[in-house]
Amino acid sequence: MTRRMRLAIPNKGRLVEPTVTLLRDAGLVFEAGERALEARVQNFELDILFVRTNDIVEFVNDGVAELGITGLDLVAEANCGVPQLRTLGYGRCRLTIAVPNDSPFRAAEDLAGLRVATSHMSLTRRFFEQRRIPVNVIPVSGAAEVAPRLGLAEAIVDLVSTGTTLVGNGLRPIEEVFASEAVLLANERAISERDGALDTIQTMLSATLAARDRKYLMMNAPLSKAAELEDLLPGLESPSVIPLAHQGMIAIHSVVDADAVWGLLPRLKAAGASGILILPIEKLVP
Ligand code: AMP
């Protein structure tokens, strides 16, 4: 009997909520209790393992789980070549060099010969080595932002999303080391054995993510305006144009980028569209 496939996801921290939401949006049904270590997906041959965000790369690389979701920064930090299936569009942050507001440093080169505190040792070392800037990388296990105040280091390399933690600690960013977001990982062997379940999960997640960025627009218009409206509505390939019962009138259906909708509406109206409906898309498989 073959084992059910396993997907390792974070059990704590900022990636938990968007990851669980993505899996549920994709249609997977499971219970995720506060302290659960594992959840059985009721409608798919899959078990979800809730583990530390930092352990996920290792779990997938070692084959404890066939799939995993974690931060790209942690994958780059581990530097073990675990296959990445796709980025997931959330958990966006930047590994950034930051220095005290009142320091004279403007660029990474200004830190030559100085100390840089970080919990991202490998990425930080690689960055400064590639730039041939000799620095002393000081390992800290968390809260790197207090290191300059404690006199431990002249600069830090830490993850930043909004920047409020930096501001709160009297620090300012000077350079980006690495851009990160959540990523779907797979075990090398699981990919080579390529059972259908792995492909299906990948398709489910991709279809869910693609749908999040799009809206389905429906509108009526006079037939004479069809060409003008088609120019505004690229759709996936081309919009659908459907004749209506009233002669000379058409309905146009189109898939558009969610971010473009509000900008498009006045232009569609000006071009003769009426009764415009904006609908969510549940899944989109291009
Ligand atoms: P956590 O378990 O909350 O410490 O999550 C750590 C992971 O969340 C990091 O490895 C990043 O991939 C991601 N992340 C997204 N935004 C941030 C942020 N502002 N600070 C730290 N980690 C972030």
Side-chain angles (χ1 to χ4, degrees):
M1 199 182 84
T2 51
R3 185 180 90 179
R4 279 162 70 86
M5 203 166 51
R6 289 169 157 184
L7 164 65
I9 69 167
N11 63 351
K12 262 196 227 139
R14 64 195 86 216
L15 296 181
V16 174
E17 195 274 327
T19 301
V20 169
T21 303
L22 171 64
L23 300 179
R24 294 226 156 101
D25 285 355
L28 299 174
V29 178
F30 58 96
E31 310 252 348
E34 273 276 288
R35 285 162 190 255
L37 302 176
E38 193 168 346
R40 190 180 169 85
V41 175
Q42 290 159 26
N43 57 347
F44 202 83
E45 286 290 303
L46 179 74
D47 290 328
I48 297 174
L49 306 184
F50 300 95
V51 299
R52 273 167 25 109
T53 315
N54 290 42
D55 292 339
I56 290 172
V57 175
E58 205 176 308
F59 272 43
V60 176
N61 203 37
D62 293 351
V64 175
E66 285 73 20
L67 291 163
I69 293 179
T70 191
L72 204 48
D73 55 304
L74 296 169
V75 181
E77 186 64 23
N79 202 17
C80 62
V82 64
Q84 301 169 21
L85 296 185
R86 59 158 300 153
T87 50
L88 299 170
Y90 59 84
R92 287 213 166 96
C93 56
R94 302 169 307 281
L95 191 64
T96 303
I97 308 174
V99 296
N101 285 328
D102 57 5
S103 71
F105 313 121
R106 300 271 154 224
E109 282 72 15
D110 299 340
L111 300 173
L114 300 178
R115 298 165 303 169
V116 180
T118 188
S119 53
H120 288 74
M121 294 293 289
S122 157
L123 273 169
T124 302
R125 282 216 175 97
R126 273 186 273 157
F127 174 86
F128 283 102
E129 274 166 22
Q130 271 165 16
R131 294 274 289 266
R132 299 182 188 283
I133 306 168
V135 294
N136 186 4
V137 181
I138 310 277
V140 292
S141 54
E145 63 274 7
V146 298
R149 224 180 318 140
L150 296 178
L152 260 176
E154 284 71 37
I156 65 163
V157 169
D158 204 4
L159 289 171
V160 177
S161 42
T162 58
T164 35
T165 308
L166 287 189
V167 172
N169 284 282
L171 301 169
R172 63 179 158 81
I174 56 170
E175 255 187 75
E176 181 177 306
V177 171
F178 188 81
S180 182
E181 65 182 283
V183 62
L184 175 66
L185 307 176
N187 174 265
E188 186 98 58
R189 221 175 95 207
I191 297 179
S192 64
E193 288 170 2
R194 268 251 106 90
D195 80 3
L198 196 137
D199 285 341
T200 306
I201 298 262
Q202 201 179 346
T203 306
M204 278 165 122
L205 298 183
S206 291
T208 307
L209 292 167
R212 281 183 180 173
D213 298 336
R214 315 280 170 80
K215 296 284 177 204
Y216 193 71
L217 282 192
M218 298 165 70
M219 69 208 72
N220 294 337
L223 177 60
S224 58
K225 300 287 187 181
E228 203 177 326
L229 285 164
E230 269 192 52
D231 282 347
L232 291 172
L233 294 165
L236 279 179
E237 273 133 29
S238 93
S240 312
V241 177
I242 306 147
L244 291 181
H246 284 219
Q247 270 247 319
M249 287 296 287
I250 50 168
I252 302 182
H253 295 191
S254 182
V255 174
V256 300
D257 285 346
D259 291 343
V261 168
W262 300 111
L264 259 177
L265 286 183
R267 295 163 69 204
L268 292 171
K269 289 194 74 134
S274 61
I276 303 172
L277 299 183
I278 306 165
L279 301 157
I281 298 173
E282 195 186 306
K283 305 278 186 299
L284 192 157
V285 183

